Amino acid sequence: MGKVVVVTSGKGGVGKTTSTAALGAAVAKTGKKVALVDFDVGLRNLDLIMGAERRVVFDLVNVIQGTAKLSQALIRDKRLETLYLLPASQTRDKDALTEEGVAEVIARLRSVFDYVFCDSPAGIERGAQLAMRFADEAVIVTNPEVSSVRDSDRIIGLLDARTMKAEQGELVQKHVLVTRYDAARAARGEMLSIDDVLEILSTPLLGIIPESQDVLRASNLGSPVTLSEPLNGAAKAYLEAARRLEGEDLPVVVPFERKGFLDRLLGRRAA
Amino acid sequence: MSILDLFKRRTSAPVARERLQLLLAYERQSRGQPDLVSILREEIMAVIAKHVQIDQDYLQVSMDRGATMSTLEIDIQIPNKSAAPLAMAG
């Protein structure tokens, strides 16, 4: 039985899809069988980030409606043979997803794959709730910024109330993944620190992904950053986060930026 | 204000943290409960409607949250022409 992990955030644009691709590829690299499922019906993008946009024939909605088999819709990654993508549909409306349909697809994926990553759409509506519905674990992608932290808090509330696990009296195991972290700005007290975010959300930390140009470059190339540039800062952070997700006890090191001469001169305090 | 203050920029992260902590403490508490203001609005409206005919638009209910105390503001406007008590109207 594979594990189902939802990658969610509430707020849009914080890095859900990028993180799904990077974490999924990182886990698949270790030889585990991984399926990435795009739940963003109407606004799919995981295919683009994975560089598989020209190979999409069938999608999640086709499978749910019975017009395609699951095996026909799954796209195997060209770089990693243990990594698969189930794209969202681009044209149909999002009511095309039914809870029973999603339950069946997830159950079948779970029986074949070691990990099923569900890339949630932004918001807290139907699509986002279906993406988290059958999750065992959740990665809450958060930027160190007020609106993102607030929305993450809201999502944490939903994970504790609206998931299958929650309704059965169990808990979805939650992890916060802080993305776009800028150590220099945090040191100058211009950005919420990791401690601030964790204290407010009171949820364990999966990793800290530094703000990095490598991430944009990887998207441009259509490759998860953990595959295209595994030695760069952001990729390393994702690779470590993936190891923690698999249960390894690996301490998180907060990226550290020394206070510059100018900051000292101007007396800027660190938070 | 001394000349040095010009160079000292107040950091914004502590402000962000404080605002979030206050806001989320409130939001968590009210999570899962129906919106208090709209319940109050409906019930107040029902009580008033027993005695005076007023339009929905003439009743404003708002809640202002402070750190230690919140204020509930209820503004009911009764237009003179339709303010006749129901007993008299009937």
Side-chain angles (χ1 to χ4, degrees), chain A residues 18 22 49 180 209-238:
Chain A
T18 307
I49 299 300
R180 310 199 67 167
I209 313 301
E211 171 80 69
S212 159
Q213 297 184 354
D214 311 334
V215 174
L216 180 60
R217 191 163 52 239
S219 310
N220 289 344
L221 299 173
S223 168
V225 69
T226 42
L227 291 188
S228 62
E229 324 193 30
L231 296 178
N232 279 331
K236 276 190 186 160
Y238 272 122

Side-chain angles (χ1 to χ4, degrees), chain A residues 37-38 42 68 87 103 124 177 186 195 214-215 219 227 254:
Chain A
V37 186
D38 191 346
I124 52 170
L177 183 67
D195 285 344
D214 311 334
V215 174
S219 310
L227 291 188
V254 178

Side-chain angles (χ1 to χ4, degrees), chain A residues 27-120:
Chain A
V27 174
K29 254 181 149 177
T30 66
K32 297 262 170 44
K33 273 193 93 176
V34 175
L36 310 179
V37 186
D38 191 346
F39 272 82
D40 206 344
V41 172
L43 287 171
R44 74 166 175 233
N45 272 320
L46 189 55
D47 56 333
L48 196 56
I49 299 300
M50 293 297 294
E53 69 276 10
R54 291 167 66 180
R55 299 169 62 209
V56 176
V57 183
F58 298 111
D59 55 56
L60 176 62
V61 174
N62 292 136
V63 177
I64 286 177
Q65 294 183 338
T67 49
K69 285 190 209 154
L70 183 57
S71 56
Q72 290 176 304
L74 281 169
I75 303 170
R76 180 152 136 189
D77 190 83
K78 287 200 162 158
R79 297 149 295 212
L80 281 178
E81 59 174 21
T82 51
L83 183 60
Y84 288 77
L85 165 70
L86 180 56
S89 112
Q90 183 68 322
T91 51
R92 284 166 229 255
D93 75 312
K94 47 185 182 293
D95 293 331
L97 292 185
T98 59
E99 181 169 338
E100 300 72 41
V102 171
E104 200 192 317
V105 170
I106 295 288
R108 287 174 59 199
L109 289 172
R110 206 196 270 274
S111 67
V112 179
F113 291 91
D114 297 310
Y115 277 89
V116 180
F117 285 89
C118 302
D119 182 19
S120 171

Side-chain angles (χ1 to χ4, degrees), chain A residues 146 149-150 153-154 157 188-192 196 199-200 266-269, chain B residues 7-14 16-17 19-21 23-24 27-28 31:
Chain A
V146 284
V149 174
R150 180 198 206 174
D153 190 73
R154 192 82 199 279
R188 287 198 298 267
E190 294 170 1
M191 186 182 249
L192 286 169
D196 291 340
E199 189 192 326
I200 292 167
L266 298 182
R268 288 174 190 163
R269 286 176 297 119
Chain B
F7 296 99
K8 245 184 201 174
R9 198 164 45 169
R10 233 182 88 69
T11 56
S12 56
R17 181 180 52 208
R19 289 177 59 218
L20 269 173
Q21 278 169 335
L23 174 70
L24 294 183
E27 285 189 346
R28 283 172 194 152
R31 194 179 281 160

